[in-house]
Amino acid sequence: DAANANVEAAVLDALRAAVDVGLLVVADGRLRFRHALTRDAVLASLLPPERAALAARAAQVLEARGDRAVAARLHVESGDPARGAAILVELARADVGRGAVRSAAALLDEAGEYAAPADRVHVLTLLGRAAEALEFGEPARDRLRGDERAELCLRLARAAIVAGRWGDARRH
C-alpha cells in the first residue's frame, strides 16, 4: 500500500543519512552504531514514552524473528518486565536442558523476582551450590501453594541429598 511504501522510503532515507554523517556504519552486512556513546546519545534524546513504544515494537519484531534474549530485555525496557522475565526463564530452562548451567543462572538472575524459586534452586544445585540452594529455597517454600510448592519441595529434597543433609531431604 502507498502509505507503507512512503514510510519505508522515509526510514531508508533516514538510515542512509545516518550512515552518511557517520552515526551508523555497515558491519557484516548490518547497520550498527559507530560507537556505544552515539547509541546512548540517541536514546537519551527520546522521551520516555517514545523509548518505551520503540522498545515494545522492537521486542515484538525480535521475538517473532527468534532473537528472544534481546526481545526479553526490550520488553523490560518497554515497561513489561513480566513478559521479559518469562522469556528469560524459558531461555534459562532451555540452557539447563543443554547443560549451559552458568548461562541459565545468569538468565535467572536477570529475571529477578519473576523467576520461580524452584528454577533457581535447581540451577544452584547443578552448579554445586546445594547449601546455597537450600538457603534460598526454604523461605520461599512457605509462601507457595499447589504445584509450585510441590516442585520446589522436590528441588529442595534433591539439593539436600546433594548436600548430604538427609534429614532435610526427608523433610522436604
Side-chain angles (χ1 to χ4, degrees):
D1 127 278
N4 285 339
N6 288 339
V7 169
E8 186 175 324
V11 168
L12 292 174
D13 287 344
L15 290 173
R16 169 65 61 198
V19 169
D20 290 346
V21 297
L23 293 175
L24 298 174
V25 294
V26 178
D28 300 322
R30 301 178 79 171
L31 287 173
R32 302 202 185 277
F33 281 99
R34 181 181 188 107
H35 194 281
L37 291 174
T38 304
R39 176 191 174 276
D40 293 345
V42 170
L43 289 175
S45 72
L46 298 173
L47 295 172
E50 289 176 306
R51 189 171 177 161
L54 288 171
R57 180 66 185 122
Q60 291 171 348
V61 169
L62 291 172
E63 193 172 352
R65 201 172 78 181
D67 194 349
R68 300 187 73 219
V70 175
R73 292 169 183 103
L74 286 168
H75 278 299
V76 171
E77 192 170 329
S78 77
D80 191 359
R83 177 68 191 136
I87 294 169
L88 292 170
V89 169
E90 289 173 22
L91 293 171
R93 289 175 179 164
D95 279 357
V96 167
R98 287 193 314 274
V101 184
R102 286 198 176 116
S103 173
L107 290 166
L108 291 175
D109 286 346
E110 194 172 343
E113 66 188 58
Y114 294 97
D119 287 322
R120 193 172 304 277
V121 166
H122 181 57
V123 168
L124 287 169
T125 303
L126 291 173
L127 286 169
R129 295 163 45 192
E132 186 180 339
L134 290 165
E135 203 173 290
F136 170 82
E138 286 176 344
R141 182 194 64 218
D142 295 332
R143 69 176 185 268
L144 298 177
R145 300 285 175 256
D147 290 346
E148 276 187 301
R149 181 182 172 103
E151 180 68 23
L152 179 58
C153 286
L154 176 63
R155 301 291 172 127
L156 286 168
R158 288 180 180 154
I161 289 168
V162 170
R165 292 168 48 178
W166 308 112
D168 287 340
R170 279 188 289 281
R171 185 169 48 85
H172 292 300

